[in-house]
C-alpha cells in the first residue's frame, strides 16, 4: 500500500532531534508562553521574512484573529465584505463569518485552481475591505494584479498560508528584474543537465567532497553525538540547482547556502557587476552565497571547506517574498499533515504591523494586555511550548522536505500521461511546495477506486465547496461552476517528504493505465 501521507515515517526522519526537544520542554517544568515559543516565533518570522510572528492555537484561529484585530483596530466593521476564493478549505471562510464579515466568493482558474485575479475587480464593492488569498495545495496564489487591486481600492491583503510554508511569491519587480520565468525553466533545466555532465576541474573536486556529505549540520552540535542524519554524515548538497532564472553551482537547501565557483572571466569588470546582481537576486530568495575561485578550490581546498563548514553552522535566514509576507498579515496552520506540521493543533500569524501583532497577542490570551488587565473580550488560543519546540526542529528541515516533495511532483509532471487526467499548470519549484498534488478527472470516483485497487491511497480536496455546505445555507443558491467542477473532479495523489521515486513510479503506472489497461 502506498499511503497518502505516512506521518509516522515523516516524524521518524527527525525522531532524535524531536525527542530531544520534547524532553527538554518536559524537563523544564515550563509549558506555556516560555522560551520555546519565543524562539520559534523569532525563527519563523525570520524564515517567512516578516517583523513579527505570533504563535496561536491553530490555523483557523490565526485567520480569525487577523480579522478580529482589524475590527478591534477600527479598520473593518462587521458587515464589511471580504473577497475569498470559492475553491478553498472551509476554515478560510469560517474566519470571515465568525467575525460577522461577509464572504464574497470569487471563482478560481481551472488551470491554476487558485483565485482568478481577472474576476476580482468585478466583486469589489464599497463595503469591500479585504482580499483573503489562499495558497491552496502549496501553490502561490499571489499575483501582481492582486497586489495592484489592493492598492487601488485600499484593501487589506490577507494570506491563508496554511498549505504553503516555504513557498515564494513573485518578488516585487526591482530594476525590472522579473524572476522564475516559467518559460525559461525548461531551458534552464537543459543547461543545468549539460553543466552537470561537463563540470570544470574545480567543480568536480568540490562535488567529490560535497556529495559525500562531509559537511556537518548545525544540529549535530546539540544532540550529544546523536546525529539527526542517520545513514550519512552530513548536509546534502545539489549541483547545478535552479533558482529563479539562475543556475547555482552548488546548493544546500537545508541551510540555504549557495556555493559558486568562478572561473577567470569573473574578474572582468562587467562580469563582476553581473555577479553582484545575481548574488543579490539569489539572496532575495533567502539564500546566502559563498563565492570561491577555481584556484581556491583546487589549491586551498581545506581552507575552502572550512569556510563552507562555518557558513553551514549559521542557521538560514528568511528571504524576501515568501508567501506569508506578501500581504498585510498571514495565517499559518501547523496541523500535523501540513508541510510544517506539529503534533497536535498549532498556528501562527505573521505580519510587519506591530499594532496588529500586539492586538492579536492580546486577543489570543483572553484579551489581556498585561496580567489581569483585559482590554478585549478575547479567548484562549496559544501555541504551547512542546509544539513550539517541535516546530522549531522541523522548521530547520522544511526546505529539504519541500525539495523532496518537489522532486516527486516533478516526476509526476514528467511522467503522468493519460488523456483522461489533467494536471494543473506547472510552476517553477519556488512557487509551489506541493502540500497536495491535485489532478482533475471527469471520472474521478472510478479513478479513485482504480487506484485503491492498485494499492494507492488518495484523498479528495475537497468533495463539497464551502458555498454548498449546510452551514452556509444562505450561499447554497450561488452558482460557481468552476469551483463545483473542481470539487467533482479533484483527486489528490500521494506526496510526502518520505515518498520514494519508486513509489511515485508505481503511482504513475497506475494513473497512466487507468481505463487504458484493456487496450
Ligand atoms: C488547514 C487549513 C486551515 C486551518 O488550519 P487548522 O490549523 O486546521 O485550524 C485553514 N486554511 C486552509 C487552506 C487549510 O488547509
Amino acid at each position: 500500500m502506498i499511503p497518502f501521507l505516512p506521518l509516522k515515517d515523516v516524524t521518524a526522519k527527525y525522531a532524535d532531534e524531536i525527542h530531544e526537544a520534547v524532553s527538554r520542554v518536559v524537563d523544564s517544568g515550563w509549558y506555556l508562553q516560555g522560551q520555546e515559543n519565543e524562539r520559534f516565533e523569532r525563527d519563523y518570522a525570520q524564515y517567512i521574512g516578516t517583523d513579527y510572528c505570533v504563535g496561536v492555537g491553530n490555523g483557523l484561529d490565526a485567520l480569525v484573529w487577523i480579522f478580529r484585530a482589524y475590527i478591534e483596530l477600527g479598520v473593518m466593521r462587521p458587515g464589511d465584505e471580504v473577497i475569498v476564493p470559492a475553491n478553498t478549505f472551509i476554515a478560510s471562510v469560517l474566519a470571515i463569518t465568525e467575525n460577522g464579515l461577509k464572504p464574497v466568493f470569487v471563482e478560481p482558474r481551472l488551470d491554476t485552481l487558485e483565485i482568478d485575479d481577472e474576476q476580482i475587480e468585478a466583486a469589489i464593492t464599497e463595503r469591500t475591505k479585504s482580499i483573503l488569498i489562499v495558497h491552496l495545495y502549496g501553490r502561490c496564489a499571489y499575483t501582481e494584479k492582486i497586489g495592484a487591486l489592493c492598492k487601488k481600492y485600499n484593501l487589506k491583503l490577507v494570506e491563508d498560508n496554511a498549505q504553503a510554508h516555504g513557498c515564494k511569491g513573485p518578488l516585487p519587480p526591482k530594476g525590472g528584474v522579473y524572476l522564475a520565468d516559467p518559460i525559461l525553466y525548461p531551458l534552464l533545466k537543459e543547461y543545468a543537465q549539460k553543466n552537470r555532465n561537463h563540470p570544470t576541474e574545480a567543480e568536480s573536486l568540490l562535488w567529490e567532497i560535497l556529495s559525500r556529505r562531509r559537511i556537518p549540520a548545525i544540529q549535530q552540535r546539540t544532540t550529544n553525538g546523536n546525529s539527526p542524519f542517520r545513514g550519512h554524515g552530513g548536509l546534502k548538497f545539489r549541483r547545478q540547482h535552479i533558482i529563479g532564472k539562475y543556475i547555482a553551482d552548488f546548493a544546500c537547501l537545508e541551510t540555504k547556502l549557495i556555493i559558486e565557483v568562478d572561473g577567470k572571466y569573473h574578474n572582468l569588470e562587467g562580469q563582476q557587476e553581473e555577479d553582484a546582481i545575481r548574488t543579490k537576486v539569489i539572496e532575495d530568495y533567502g539564500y546566502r552565497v559563498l563565492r570561491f575561485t577555481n584556484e581556491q578550490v583546487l589549491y586551498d581546498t581545506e581552507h575552502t571547506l572550512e569556510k563552507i563548514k562555518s557558513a553551514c553552522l549559521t542557521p538560514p535566514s528568511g528571504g524576501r517574498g515568501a508567501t506569508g509576507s506578501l500581504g498585510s498579515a498571514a495565517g499559518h496552520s501547523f496541523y500535523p499533515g501540513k508541510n510544517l506540521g506539529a503534533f497536535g493543533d498549532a498556528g501562527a500569524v505573521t505580519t510587519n504591523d506591530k499594532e496588529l501583532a500586539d492586538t492579536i497577542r492580546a486577543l489570543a490570551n483572553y484579551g489581556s494586555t498585561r496580567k489581569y488587565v483585559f482590554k478585549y473580550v478575547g479567548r484562549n488560543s496559544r501555541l504551547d511550548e512542546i509544539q513550539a519546540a517541535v516546530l522549531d526542529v522541523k522548521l530547520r528541515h522544511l526546505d529539504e522536505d519541500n525539495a523532496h516533495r518537489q522532486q516527486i511532483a516533478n516526476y509526476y509532471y514528467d511522467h503522468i500521461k493519460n488523456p483522461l487526467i489533467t494536471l494543473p499548470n506547472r510552476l517553477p519549484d519556488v512557487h509551489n511546495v506541493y502540500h497536495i498534488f491535485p489532478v482533475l478527472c471527469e471520472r474521478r470516483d472510478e479513478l479513485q477506486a482504480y487506484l485503491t485497487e492498485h494499492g494507492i491511497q488518495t484523498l479528495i480536496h475537497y468533495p463539497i465547496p464551502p458555498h454548498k455546505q449546510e452551514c452556509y445555507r444562505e450561499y447554497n443558491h450561488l452558482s460557481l461552476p468552476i469551483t463545483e467542477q473542481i470539487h467533482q473532479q479533484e483527486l489528490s495523489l500521494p506526496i510526502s517528504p518520505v515518498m520514494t521515486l519508486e513509489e511515485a513510479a508505481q503511482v504513475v503506472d497506475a494513473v497512466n493505465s487507468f481505463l487504458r489497461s484493456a487496450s
Side-chain angles (χ1 to χ4, degrees), residues 446-458:
E446 283 171 73
L447 175 62
Q448 184 168 39
Y450 182 81
L451 293 177
T452 307
E453 259 169 52
H454 284 74
I456 295 159
Q457 188 190 9
T458 56

Side-chain angles (χ1 to χ4, degrees), residues 177-408:
V177 192
Y178 199 79
L179 294 165
D181 188 339
I183 295 162
L184 270 181
Y185 186 70
L187 199 69
L188 288 168
K189 240 180 117 173
E190 207 174 292
Y191 277 140
Q193 192 53 52
K194 255 190 217 151
N195 293 350
R196 251 175 244 138
N197 294 340
H198 303 284
T200 64
E201 202 186 339
E203 283 169 0
S204 281
L205 177 69
L206 200 51
W207 180 240
E208 267 270 322
I209 299 165
L210 295 179
S211 62
R212 275 195 263 127
R213 301 196 175 190
R214 277 186 38 196
I215 309 291
I218 327 164
Q219 288 78 13
Q220 284 178 302
R221 292 234 160 147
T222 59
T223 49
N224 324 329
N226 277 342
S227 167
F229 299 91
R230 278 172 302 176
H232 56 76
L235 292 168
K236 177 175 178 180
F237 279 81
R238 291 146 198 273
R239 56 185 171 149
Q240 303 299 326
H241 184 72
I242 299 170
I243 297 173
K245 59 171 185 169
Y246 296 114
I247 302 173
D249 288 336
F250 302 96
C252 173
L253 301 181
E254 207 170 330
T255 57
K256 290 236 162 160
L257 186 72
I258 298 296
I259 300 168
E260 303 264 46
V261 181
D262 301 330
K264 276 235 158 43
Y265 68 93
H266 283 269
N267 293 330
L268 301 175
E269 205 171 284
Q271 189 59 38
Q272 280 184 356
E273 224 166 84
E274 277 271 303
D275 286 347
I277 293 171
R278 175 188 166 103
T279 300
K280 183 77 197 64
V281 169
I282 292 176
E283 282 173 355
D284 279 346
Y285 272 86
Y287 290 86
R288 295 166 290 164
V289 181
L290 280 185
R291 278 184 185 283
F292 298 103
T293 62
N294 281 338
E295 288 71 26
Q296 282 173 309
V297 172
L298 289 172
Y299 309 117
D300 197 7
T301 317
E302 278 314 306
H303 199 198
T304 301
L305 280 183
E306 276 315 307
K307 280 192 183 159
I308 296 174
K309 275 183 197 164
S310 91
C312 286
L313 289 172
T314 337
S317 64
R320 279 189 330 108
T323 59
S325 74
L326 305 172
S328 315
H332 308 254
S333 163
F334 307 123
Y335 172 85
K338 301 286 158 79
N339 287 29
L340 179 58
F343 290 168
D345 279 316
V349 173
T350 53
T351 181
N352 290 323
D353 181 340
K354 180 169 192 307
E355 207 182 8
L356 190 79
D358 290 346
T359 307
I360 289 172
R361 194 176 291 289
L363 282 168
N365 188 32
Y366 317 107
S368 167
T369 43
R370 273 185 296 135
K371 199 155 194 177
Y372 304 129
V373 177
F374 302 96
K375 185 167 176 183
Y376 309 107
V377 181
R379 267 203 285 119
N380 176 4
S381 170
R382 299 177 298 207
L383 178 63
D384 69 66
E385 290 283 281
I386 290 185
Q387 301 302 346
V390 168
L391 287 167
D392 204 62
V393 168
K394 291 181 80 177
L395 179 60
R396 290 172 194 283
H397 300 290
L398 179 59
D399 288 336
E400 193 192 353
D401 283 352
N402 283 343
H404 189 99
R405 287 173 178 272
Q406 286 158 348
Q407 202 184 0
I408 300 292

Side-chain angles (χ1 to χ4, degrees), residues 452-469:
T452 307
E453 259 169 52
H454 284 74
I456 295 159
Q457 188 190 9
T458 56
L459 293 177
I460 294 170
H461 295 92
Y462 299 89
I464 307 169
H467 73 280
K468 290 293 184 194
Q469 296 285 352

Side-chain angles (χ1 to χ4, degrees), residues 57-63 88-92 134-137 160-163 331-336 338 344-347 435-436 462:
N58 57 68
L60 169 59
D61 275 356
L63 294 167
T88 186
F89 178 58
I90 197 156
S92 322
V134 183
H135 305 294
L136 201 68
Y137 309 127
D160 180 340
N161 199 43
Q163 301 193 358
H332 308 254
S333 163
F334 307 123
Y335 172 85
K338 301 286 158 79
D345 279 316
H435 173 57
I436 282 165
Y462 299 89

